[in-house]
Amino acid sequence: MDTTAVRSDLADLVARAARGELGDVPDVHRFDPRTQADYREAAVLLLLTPTAAPEAGPPGADLFLVQRSPLLRHHPGQIALPGGRRDPEDRDIVHTALRETHEEIGLPPERVEVIGTLPRLAVPISRYAVTPVVGWAEDGTDLAEVDDGEVLHTLRVPVGHLLDPASRARVRLLTHTSAGFLVPGGWVWGFTGNLLDHVLDELGWTRPWDRDRVHRMSLAEAHGGPPTTAEG
């Protein structure tokens, strides 16, 4: 799959979202404006760029993630999409996603082609209403250095690696279970894992994987400790 096909798939995803044609997200993330109207607005950026690792296989694109500092009070050490809370000065929720991405990974907003947005999702544990913004960067290199105290480092992960069945599992932490993806630095899980699982399914990119495979995550690992092996 070349980058033209990738961008076409992303545009189709956004168009289907606007028509209300996407499948259901997990119940925990369904946003209900009647009962969750007091949730704080936030955004994340699903930012793709031509792959730097063609050996990873289709679709030939990389996704940007960030690993949060283990010293943070909230969600320490977790791997997530760049993004954050909407500030009063932000023009709109897309501006929030671009501003936060610039702050967290050093990519200027003018280098991001915004393809569109997906429906808001709920994160009840932190009471956020999160809008996923879909973007494309033709050049994902030469990122400015950032030092905001929140991000340990930036991860540029081939989507082909995320789709590898060996990288997939359901992650279980205490009584909570989510979709999971093993990447350098640990597991993507929770809200981000569920969002990526949903988006990759809707793009038609998902490869068959063992949905009975479970990774039992310890609290230490959830806070940035070294990953362990998933169980078959």
Side-chain angles (χ1 to χ4, degrees):
M1 184 183 295
D2 60 24
T3 57
T4 300
V6 171
R7 292 169 71 177
S8 177
D9 283 355
L10 295 175
D12 180 67
L13 174 74
V14 168
R16 287 189 291 115
R19 297 192 299 265
E21 295 176 357
L22 299 186
D24 291 335
V25 297
D27 288 346
V28 67
H29 298 309
R30 291 184 187 176
F31 179 73
D32 185 346
R34 298 167 300 174
T35 60
Q36 298 169 324
D38 61 336
Y39 277 28
R40 296 166 292 176
E41 291 287 335
V44 294
L45 185 63
L46 287 151
L47 179 62
L48 286 91
T49 192
T51 188
E55 69 278 4
D62 295 343
L63 176 73
F64 282 99
L65 297 165
V66 296
Q67 184 158 27
R68 293 167 59 83
S69 168
L71 303 179
L72 293 177
R73 180 176 179 182
H74 299 292
H75 310 295
Q78 288 190 11
I79 300 172
L81 293 162
R85 182 177 57 199
R86 181 175 182 174
D87 284 350
E89 298 80 11
D90 292 343
R91 293 188 302 274
D92 52 32
I93 203 66
V94 171
H95 182 267
T96 300
L98 295 177
R99 174 185 55 76
E100 287 281 345
T101 297
H102 188 200
E103 293 174 1
E104 292 183 351
I105 73 172
L107 184 67
E110 59 268 21
R111 288 174 54 189
V112 179
E113 174 193 350
V114 176
I115 297 174
T117 62
L118 303 180
R120 282 186 295 181
L121 302 172
V123 186
I125 192 169
S126 53
R127 300 183 67 82
Y128 276 115
V130 180
T131 298
V133 178
V134 180
W136 175 264
E138 193 61 41
D139 181 5
T141 62
D142 297 324
L143 303 179
E145 291 202 16
V146 296
D147 184 22
D148 64 359
E150 293 186 9
V151 175
L152 184 63
H153 53 243
T154 299
L155 301 172
R156 180 175 171 173
V157 181
V159 178
H161 174 82
L162 296 175
L163 297 171
D164 185 343
S167 301
R168 303 292 311 266
R170 291 183 298 122
V171 173
R172 186 166 296 156
L173 175 64
L174 302 177
T175 60
H176 303 283
T177 302
S178 70
F181 299 81
L182 184 61
V183 301
W187 286 88
V188 181
W189 59 285
F191 169 76
T192 305
N194 285 335
L195 173 57
L196 291 183
D197 180 60
H198 173 66
V199 167
L200 294 173
D201 278 354
E202 291 295 333
L203 286 166
W205 293 355
T206 299
R207 303 172 193 164
W209 59 283
D210 183 2
R211 295 178 182 270
D212 292 327
R213 186 173 181 239
V214 176
H215 174 69
R216 300 184 187 278
M217 179 175 284
S218 67
L219 285 174
E221 184 185 348
H223 294 160
T228 55
T229 304
E231 304 171 7

